């Protein structure tokens, strides 16, 4: 059974940085793509960033140049470094494991999800 646990969320002012982490247990972490998604109140869950098993990355246009995803296969961890945060980045952020090794922006291609961590950016 795969379990994903996110951490690192919080309340920050616009322009600040946060680093989210997700620790995975169960399964072979290094073989699968990992992604970060977010969901703001009243909105659908949306793609933020993904990293493949080989380290390739993909970002939503809204976060390109500000967010960076990385993985540490030795620690079964995927991180999301978020810089220059904006109020519109406010959401619950979810870590997810893909059904295969590639990056994907498609929610349905992720089978395992964490509980989420709240990120709030004040103006």
């Amino acid at each position: 059974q795969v379990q994903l646990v996110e951490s690192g969320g919080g309340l920050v002012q616009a322009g600040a940085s946060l680093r989210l982490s997700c620790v995975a247990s169960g399964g072979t972490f290094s073989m699968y793509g990992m992604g970060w998604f977010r969901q703001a109140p009243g909105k659908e869950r949306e793609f933020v960033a993904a990293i493949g098993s080989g380290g390739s990355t993909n970002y939503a246009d809204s976060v390109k140049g500000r967010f960076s995803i990385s993985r540490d296969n030795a620690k079964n961890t995927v991180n999301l470094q978020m810089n220059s945060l904006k109020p519109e980045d406010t959401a619950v952020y979810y870590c997810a494991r893909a059904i295969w090794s590639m990056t994907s922006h498609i929610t349905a291609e992720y089978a395992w999800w964490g509980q989420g961590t709240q990120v709030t950016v004040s103006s």
Side-chain angles (χ1 to χ4, degrees):
Q1 183 71 16
V2 176
Q3 290 189 321
L4 303 172
V5 179
E6 304 97 335
S7 63
L11 171 63
V12 297
Q13 290 189 329
S17 298
L18 277 176
R19 183 177 178 85
L20 305 183
S21 293
C22 171
V23 179
S25 59
T28 306
F29 178 81
S30 62
M31 293 177 60
Y32 293 93
M34 298 295 296
W36 286 96
F37 290 75
R38 66 187 181 187
Q39 188 166 18
K43 295 188 177 181
E44 293 188 354
R45 192 169 297 189
E46 65 174 7
F47 169 74
V48 175
I51 185 166
S53 62
S56 59
T57 58
N58 188 21
Y59 297 93
D61 288 343
S62 59
V63 306
K64 277 181 182 176
R66 300 188 298 122
F67 290 13
S68 178
I69 188 171
S70 62
R71 66 189 298 159
D72 184 341
N73 290 335
K75 296 182 179 179
N76 285 5
T77 299
V78 59
N79 301 304
L80 184 69
Q81 179 66 42
M82 306 186 295
N83 299 327
S84 302
L85 282 162
K86 304 175 180 181
E88 51 263 44
D89 294 319
T90 295
V92 177
Y93 283 71
Y94 297 91
C95 169
R97 199 190 88 169
I99 59 175
W100 47 34
S101 63
M102 298 179 289
T103 61
S104 174
H105 64 281
I106 301 172
T107 306
E109 294 181 353
Y110 290 82
W112 293 272
W113 295 82
Q115 299 277 21
T117 185
Q118 177 71 47
V119 172
T120 304
V121 184
S122 63
S123 56

